[in-house]
Amino acid sequence: MNNVLIINGHQHYPQIAEGKLTVSYINKADEFLTANGFNVKHTNVEKGYKVDEELEKFAWANFFIIQYPVY
């Protein structure tokens, strides 16, 4: 099995960078990967995370996608 961890590294800035493009990329990747038999888990850095849970996700994943904007 192929397991993918997608990390959303966007930081929200009202009226400047609301993260819509980042979310659309992540949603598209999730759709594609799921349709092709991949198991997908997500992390949204801005919403917070627990280190132990993230370590488990990294151990679980065969692949990582780190999506964040470049300003």
Side-chain angles (χ1 to χ4, degrees):
M1 262 190 223
N2 290 313
N3 301 321
V4 180
L5 173 60
I6 300 176
I7 300 173
N8 179 344
H10 183 267
Q11 290 183 317
H12 185 265
Y13 298 103
Q15 300 176 353
I16 297 170
E18 297 192 10
K20 293 176 186 174
L21 182 59
T22 298
V23 169
S24 68
Y25 287 152
I26 289 171
N27 290 342
K28 194 62 148 176
D30 188 78
E31 287 175 27
F32 174 83
L33 293 166
T34 302
N36 286 284
F38 288 81
N39 300 307
V40 181
K41 291 186 179 182
H42 295 266
T43 295
N44 186 328
V45 175
E46 190 170 56
K47 291 184 178 179
Y49 55 89
K50 295 180 181 174
V51 173
D52 291 340
E53 290 176 10
E54 294 308 308
L55 290 173
E56 288 177 18
K57 288 180 187 178
F58 272 95
W60 168 85
N62 302 105
F63 303 99
F64 310 98
I65 297 174
I66 302 172
Q67 178 61 47
Y68 58 92
V70 178
Y71 300 108

